[in-house]
Amino acid sequence: MSKEFALPKTIIIIGAALAGPVAASRAREIDGKARIILLERNTRVSYAMAGLSFHLSGEVKSLDDLNREREDYFKRVYNIEVHTKTEVTKIDSKNKILYLNSSDDLTELKYDTLIFATGAASIHPTGLPKTTQNFRYFRTLDDLAEIQRHIKTGKNKIVVLGGGSMGIEAVDGCVRGGAEVTLIEKSDQILPGFTKNIATMAEHMMSSSISIHKNVQNIEYISKNDLVSEVIIDGKKIKIDFIVSAIGVRPRTELLAQTGVKLHKDGTIKINSYCQTNIKDIYACSICVSLPTRFGHMWIPQAAVSDKTAQVAGANAAGSKVKLREFSSSMIIRTPNAEVGKVGLSQNQAQMYFGKDKIGKALVHGTDKESYFPTNAPVILEILYHKKNHRILGLSALGNNIKSRLDAFASAFTNRQTLEDIANLDFAYSPAFGTSRDVLNVVATVALQKESKLTESLEPIDLLMQRKNFFILDVGSQPTNTVKTNHFLPVESIRTMIPELLQKFKASGATTIATLSESGRRGHLAYRILKEHHIPVININGGIKLYSLYANKT
């Protein structure tokens, strides 16, 4: 049969919450004649999962704004069939048949190409009865409606389980919506994947708006009539009205177990750069797949990933040859007090790939605009890099207006650029929008200074572990009252006061002077002066702003 008389192909997409509708509409743009079918086991299609917290906060006024492209929209605009409350029970990949359990009385469908876009399933909290009524995940519009109903009725003591990206988004929405929030995280750090320093500073900022419990070993739920009234955290009772769980997700790929589609050990689907699985005519997208990165395939369960993979899977299932590009694992999250974001590898990942001794890092405090501009706000960046070849490996950021820095770094990271490249990038400049030397330029410059031995810094946590070896010299413009130091001497006076300083230093019994200033900049200048005089010295990384967070906990 010639091509012009070939029957239209049937493209079926399993999963219609986020990636599925994108894949379906993209397939329609490529093939105007195909029969395209969306299957979704739940009641809604195409909702904006990334926008959930903004409805809780009141910024997105209606749930309908998160769910505008409904079943009838896909039918009228794209001529796509949509079947909700329809679950695929089996995939016969040899004969290309799907077996269904559907409210539309469908029992089976044949396909020519299949796109698997089921996403991920929430992990249920250990010890919490599944019959609990005042509990929801932070995943769907139905979850959102129930959380908001409790807040609006005054039952606003909310416990959020999980301090990862989804948990922080839930916190942000609940706080802005008027809730009293307690965040519970089982590890010793919120925001896993971020550097320890940035996560610690983000936690400090958030602690003015919420109660945070980390490193929690045991959680008990006290309930009556399927309603939890108290949570006991390592023996401490907290009265609550509602529980929101964001402890993590797992890829929903169980349906593929009998099809022969290959999975990674974490359950994600193995795909090539065309979003093809190992079985002909079966594609996969969404957050149930692992993605190509500079360091091999990784699971990056983020909303933007769903869209990008869906674009490729949809186009190729319809006959195109579009390729995925490398992912940089970029993210940005709004907290009640600031923005926090990351690009590239975490510190643990970098050390795993290259070895701990080969990874360098640098942290700087800056501003998003010139310091004299009235609305300037803090920006804190910490960069990870390879010490030998200066390749950039990761960035964690905290503050206001950080997205442009993250985006610039993501492009540089993907293109395998170095510290030298970042230090000299020419950014658009106006005092109302940035600084003449952007904080991203500065953090790369500081890293280069460390590698050329123009400066040296010590992590606050390392100093505290060996406190007696260090003589802490406060070189700020005014003496600090937030942490205990050994001596105050403004950087402007050091050159004329070196004999007196040496006398106090020797009397202390310490082996090294540790310079301390508000952000670390004056500490660096003091370091240079003392180094010129061959005095053993090191600068405390992050200055008082960082050191005080660790010192006041010990």
Side-chain angles (χ1 to χ4, degrees):
M1 186 181 291
S2 65
K3 186 176 180 181
E4 59 183 304
F5 295 110
L7 292 173
K9 67 165 61 176
T10 298
I11 303 170
I12 299 181
I13 300 96
I14 304 174
L18 186 60
V22 175
S25 56
R26 183 71 174 129
R28 173 58 73 217
E29 291 170 1
I30 302 300
D31 188 337
K33 295 180 179 179
R35 182 189 182 193
I36 301 176
I37 306 170
L38 267 173
L39 304 178
E40 172 56 45
R41 66 176 187 162
N42 292 313
T43 59
R44 303 175 191 258
V45 302
S46 186
Y47 61 88
M49 185 180 294
L52 298 181
S53 66
F54 304 113
H55 177 60
L56 278 182
S57 67
E59 293 157 289
V60 176
K61 299 300 181 184
S62 170
L63 278 176
D64 290 340
D65 292 332
L66 298 176
N67 189 215
R68 287 181 173 175
E69 297 180 359
R70 301 184 183 186
E71 294 93 323
D72 59 339
Y73 177 88
F74 286 99
K75 179 64 178 176
R76 288 185 286 105
V77 176
Y78 291 105
N79 190 27
I80 292 172
E81 297 177 39
V82 180
H83 298 278
T84 57
K85 299 181 183 178
T86 299
E87 185 169 9
V88 179
T89 57
K90 183 182 177 182
I91 301 172
D92 180 350
S93 58
K94 183 177 180 180
N95 296 300
K96 294 188 173 182
I97 299 174
L98 302 182
Y99 295 93
L100 312 170
N101 184 355
S102 174
S103 61
D104 294 336
D105 294 327
L106 288 171
T107 57
E108 61 182 64
L109 285 170
K110 293 204 69 170
Y111 65 85
D112 293 296
T113 55
L114 178 67
I115 301 175
F116 201 82
T118 53
S122 297
I123 298 171
H124 192 81
T126 302
L128 181 68
K130 292 192 175 181
T131 56
T132 301
Q133 295 181 22
N134 55 339
F135 157 77
R136 284 282 183 164
Y137 301 113
F138 195 67
R139 292 296 305 282
T140 70
L141 298 185
D142 292 334
D143 292 333
L144 194 64
E146 188 64 13
I147 297 166
Q148 190 176 62
R149 185 181 70 80
H150 273 74
I151 294 175
K152 283 187 172 181
T153 56
K155 297 177 179 178
N156 63 354
K157 287 184 172 61
I158 307 291
V159 163
V160 175
L161 304 177
S165 59
M166 190 63 77
I168 301 303
E169 287 182 4
V171 165
D172 182 64
C174 289
V175 168
R176 293 175 191 269
E180 180 183 325
V181 178
T182 298
L183 177 65
I184 300 176
E185 170 57 48
K186 285 196 170 184
S187 73
D188 62 357
Q189 175 184 323
I190 65 169
L191 294 167
F194 286 73
T195 62
K196 178 74 171 178
N197 290 332
I198 293 294
T200 298
M201 287 186 279
E203 177 191 338
H204 175 69
M205 287 185 179
M206 291 172 60
S207 63
S208 63
S209 302
I210 66 171
S211 175
I212 301 175
H213 298 266
K214 296 182 308 178
N215 207 21
V216 173
Q217 303 299 312
N218 187 47
I219 305 175
E220 296 179 62
Y221 303 95
I222 307 302
S223 60
K224 184 178 180 180
N225 297 326
D226 291 332
L227 292 172
V228 176
S229 58
E230 290 179 326
V231 173
I232 303 177
I233 308 169
D234 291 338
K236 180 181 179 180
K237 284 187 179 181
I238 299 175
K239 291 185 179 296
I240 69 162
D241 295 311
F242 201 85
I243 298 171
V244 177
S245 179
I247 60 175
V249 295
R250 56 173 178 78
R252 273 209 311 122
T253 55
E254 299 89 346
L255 185 61
L256 296 177
Q258 306 302 320
T259 65
V261 169
K262 291 182 179 178
L263 305 178
H264 293 278
K265 288 182 179 180
D266 59 8
T268 56
I269 303 168
K270 290 186 177 183
I271 57 170
N272 63 15
S273 58
Y274 298 98
C275 285
Q276 294 170 312
T277 70
N278 61 296
I279 293 184
K280 189 177 185 297
D281 295 324
I282 296 183
Y283 296 78
C285 60
S286 184
I287 57 173
C288 56
V289 304
S290 281
L291 303 161
T293 75
R294 278 172 55 184
F295 308 99
H297 279 69
M298 291 184 183
W299 186 32
I300 308 172
Q302 298 173 23
V305 163
S306 289
D307 182 88
K308 291 178 178 67
T309 55
Q311 295 281 352
V312 172
N316 292 339
S320 286
K321 277 291 182 181
V322 181
K323 291 182 71 172
L324 286 175
R325 302 304 174 189
E326 287 181 356
F327 285 76
S328 60
S329 193
S330 304
M331 72 164 66
I332 185 169
I333 311 162
R334 192 179 71 173
T335 79
N337 315 90
E339 303 157 11
V340 63
K342 67 173 285 291
V343 179
L345 298 179
S346 69
Q347 190 166 335
N348 287 340
Q349 287 173 326
Q351 291 174 355
M352 179 182 69
Y353 285 119
F354 300 105
K356 185 175 182 180
D357 294 339
K358 293 182 179 179
I359 303 303
K361 62 179 182 176
L363 181 146
V364 298
H365 298 268
T367 54
D368 66 332
K369 309 175 187 70
E370 293 289 11
S371 58
Y372 56 77
F373 198 81
T375 58
N376 82 85
V379 174
I380 308 159
L381 301 184
E382 188 162 32
I383 195 171
L384 302 173
Y385 60 91
H386 194 286
K387 288 183 177 182
K388 184 177 180 180
N389 59 29
H390 295 181
R391 293 282 189 195
I392 56 172
L393 300 177
L395 180 75
S396 290
L398 175 67
N400 283 40
N401 299 319
I402 64 172
K403 187 178 186 301
S404 63
R405 283 89 191 177
L406 295 170
D407 290 343
F409 191 90
S411 178
F413 173 83
T414 302
N415 287 291
R416 293 164 167 72
Q417 291 189 319
T418 63
L419 293 173
E420 288 84 355
D421 296 321
I422 298 293
N424 293 291
L425 275 175
D426 183 22
F427 295 110
Y429 171 61
S430 165
F433 302 110
T435 55
S436 57
R437 187 154 181 76
D438 191 84
V439 64
L440 189 54
N441 298 133
V442 174
V443 74
T445 299
V446 170
L448 288 170
Q449 289 176 333
K450 291 178 71 172
E451 293 312 305
S452 61
K453 305 303 181 185
L454 286 172
T455 192
E456 292 178 273
S457 62
L458 181 69
E459 288 296 321
I461 197 164
D462 293 332
L463 184 149
L464 290 165
M465 291 175 66
Q466 310 168 59
R467 178 64 182 87
K468 66 179 182 179
N469 295 332
F470 295 96
F471 180 88
I472 298 181
L473 179 64
D474 180 0
V475 297
S477 57
Q478 298 290 331
T480 179
N481 58 7
T482 57
V483 292
K484 186 177 179 181
T485 64
N486 293 97
H487 186 53
F488 168 67
L489 183 62
V491 67
E492 296 87 346
S493 303
I494 288 178
R495 292 184 187 275
T496 59
M497 299 290 289
I498 283 180
E500 292 85 346
L501 173 61
L502 284 175
Q503 188 177 14
K504 290 181 180 292
F505 170 48
K506 290 177 180 178
S508 72
T511 58
T512 306
I513 292 177
T515 56
L516 182 66
S517 61
E518 184 181 17
S519 67
R521 172 62 181 165
R522 288 170 65 91
H524 165 69
L525 297 175
Y527 166 89
R528 292 302 308 158
I529 295 170
L530 296 173
K531 195 74 172 175
E532 289 170 8
H533 287 78
H534 307 290
I535 298 170
V537 62
I538 199 161
N539 188 22
I540 299 177
N541 186 42
I544 294 169
K545 291 179 178 179
L546 179 60
Y547 177 69
S548 62
L549 302 185
Y550 292 105
N552 292 328
K553 289 182 180 179
T554 59

